[in-house]
Amino acid sequence: KSVTPRPKGPPPLVYHHAYTTPSWPSKHRFKMRKFTSLFLHLLRSGLAKRDEFFIPVEAPPPSWFTAVHCQEYFSDFVSGSLDEKRMRRIGLPWSPQLVRRTLVEAAGTVLSAQLACEFGIACSLGGGTHHAHHNFGSGFTIFNDVVIAADVVIKEGRASRVLIVDLDVHQGDGTAALASARPSKDVFALSFHCGANFPFRKETSDLDVSFERGAGDDEFLSKLREVLPSVLDSFGPDLVLYLSGVDPFEGDKLGLLNLSEDGLRERDLFVFRECTRRGVPVSGVIGGGYDDDVDKLAARHGLLFESAAQVWRE
């Protein structure tokens, strides 16, 4: 669909050093350093060169956020006025640096979506903040970057129907609520998740696929092969926003599913191939993943980029 020549090298990759907040508590469950580690992993593995990354804007328009989120909630977070109870629900310690990374990360997801519309495939080295609701954040997420990105590209006329494919182990409850609230029904939320995992009060996505604890490669991939092509064909999106997540991995600290790394790779390849064979642009974000060994975690997130690059070359 694009008339612009493809970039040489890998598919467009989006990264900003502000994805990592400095001076982060070392024992926090949310491993902030994974974003920098992922960037370095992609450089070391030869998947990308330093000058090939696209850099998102540092000061995205507030209107991007307030089109999806409550104005008061947005202003209170940015100014540091959220009360202790609401910050505790988010689970991250507030700081001006956290505000910066939150806004830049969302801008990165928007840029990746825009680049995917232009070139067919793009990925950001962050994103996937799917627990964020209209007027509150939750589960390490503050603003819902994938719904924000969907809203921006629709308003820009780059797409009219956006499919969010969320394969993180946790249901994208914020995404489900925000998508269902859109009167035009132009955003479809598909969620694969472990039913026994967070959030314990689920929202209703356009389509939810719930797995029991311990489900592995065969069960997960079989269901994905059954469901995704059907949704792509019935909804007919102009863009897919793919929230990969590596927390379905068998060794993930917050997972409860048992996918292998080979299973995660096969999952990612299937998503990219099913989109591209239909001519549907796809933008990937990394979603969740929890491991005390941040370098191993970063390499696991790197599977998304390996898969994107492989399908880009096909």
Side-chain angles (χ1 to χ4, degrees), residues 52-288:
E52 291 176 329
F53 288 88
F54 290 78
I55 303 172
V57 296
E58 289 202 27
S63 60
W64 285 3
F65 300 86
T66 56
V68 170
H69 294 283
C70 167
Q71 170 73 62
E72 181 182 9
Y73 169 58
F74 173 77
S75 299
D76 284 352
F77 172 72
V78 170
S79 65
S81 303
L82 278 184
D83 59 60
E84 183 180 346
K85 181 179 179 181
R86 290 193 289 175
M87 283 306 303
R88 189 164 57 247
R89 186 170 192 174
I90 290 169
L92 303 174
W94 188 91
S95 68
Q97 292 79 16
L98 180 66
V99 173
R100 183 188 183 212
R101 90 157 295 274
T102 300
L103 301 182
V104 170
E105 183 180 39
T109 300
V110 171
L111 178 56
S112 182
Q114 293 167 330
L115 289 166
C117 289
E118 186 65 28
F119 298 109
I121 296 177
C123 293
S124 178
L125 279 67
T129 50
H130 60 168
H131 298 308
H133 287 247
H134 176 66
N135 60 353
F136 67 90
S138 177
F140 307 148
T141 72
I142 298 156
F143 302 129
N144 196 302
D145 65 319
V146 287
V147 178
I148 290 168
D151 187 73
V152 169
V153 297
I154 288 171
K155 286 177 175 172
E156 291 178 339
R158 298 174 188 264
S160 58
R161 296 164 71 80
V162 176
L163 169 61
I164 297 171
V165 176
D166 188 341
L167 304 188
D168 186 284
V169 79
H170 307 100
Q171 191 212 32
D173 55 326
T175 302
L178 290 167
S180 67
R182 295 179 68 88
S184 54
K185 303 302 177 186
D186 50 4
V187 176
F188 187 108
L190 168 63
S191 178
F192 278 45
H193 52 264
C194 177
N197 213 325
F198 179 90
F200 303 110
R201 178 181 295 176
K202 304 288 193 290
E203 297 285 342
T204 302
S205 306
D206 293 286
L207 181 57
D208 285 299
V209 180
S210 179
F211 295 92
E212 298 293 329
R213 287 172 180 254
D217 292 349
D218 291 344
E219 184 177 352
F220 191 99
L221 293 170
S222 174
K223 199 67 180 176
L224 183 63
R225 294 185 190 108
E226 172 191 338
V227 169
L228 181 60
S230 175
V231 172
L232 284 167
D233 293 339
S234 60
F235 182 65
D238 305 301
L239 173 67
V240 168
L241 299 179
Y242 174 39
L243 200 164
S244 57
V246 295
D247 41 14
F249 176 62
E250 57 196 351
D252 191 90
K253 295 190 71 173
L254 300 181
L256 304 184
L257 295 185
N258 282 331
L259 271 68
S260 66
E261 289 193 353
D262 286 342
L264 293 173
R265 181 183 291 104
E266 190 170 345
R267 174 200 68 171
D268 293 345
L269 284 169
F270 183 78
V271 172
F272 283 117
R273 284 173 174 152
E274 289 300 301
C275 294
T276 56
R277 68 188 290 265
R278 290 169 172 80
V280 179
V282 55
S283 170
V285 295
I286 70 170

Side-chain angles (χ1 to χ4, degrees), residues 286-314:
I286 70 170
Y290 304 91
D291 193 318
D292 289 336
D293 189 324
V294 178
D295 291 333
K296 286 185 178 178
L297 176 59
R300 208 168 295 134
H301 279 302
L303 296 171
L304 172 71
F305 302 88
E306 292 174 20
S307 298
Q310 182 171 333
V311 175
W312 176 261
R313 294 189 300 265
E314 290 176 351

